[in-house]
Amino acid sequence: MANVIDPETHADLIELQLAVFAADRELSAYTGDDAEPLREAMRQAAAKKNQALEDSGLVGEHGWYTAEQDLKRAARAAEAG
């Protein structure tokens, strides 16, 4: 099955997914006592990405699983260069 995410058409979604990846890496690397601000940043990044993904119509057309997994794959490909 082809990826439902087109890198050019969905560049904004890919950027939002990259922000989620970055927030997750920052949270995972944190070794301090109060990670709540980082957890909240992660929640906010994910919520913003999820809303944009739903607003794009991809969720309605392909379902959450396919849209989200394909977005993650496209974002990883963008990170890899």
Side-chain angles (χ1 to χ4, degrees):
M1 175 184 242
N3 192 325
V4 301
I5 302 295
D6 175 67
E8 291 180 18
T9 304
H10 302 112
D12 57 331
L13 294 175
I14 292 170
E15 287 300 317
L16 291 171
Q17 182 63 60
L18 290 172
V20 172
F21 288 164
D24 183 54
R25 281 191 298 271
E26 187 174 358
L27 179 58
S28 294
Y30 184 72
T31 59
D33 293 332
D34 183 17
E36 186 54 35
L38 296 175
R39 281 193 290 274
E40 182 58 28
M42 175 71 184
R43 281 191 288 272
Q44 292 294 323
K48 188 174 179 180
K49 183 262 308 179
N50 287 343
Q51 186 62 56
L53 190 57
E54 189 169 0
D55 291 348
S56 74
L58 292 168
V59 171
E61 188 174 343
H62 303 285
W64 271 105
Y65 182 80
T66 298
E68 193 164 44
Q69 292 303 308
D70 284 0
L71 178 56
K72 287 178 184 178
R73 275 193 285 280
R76 285 186 191 108
E79 275 186 323

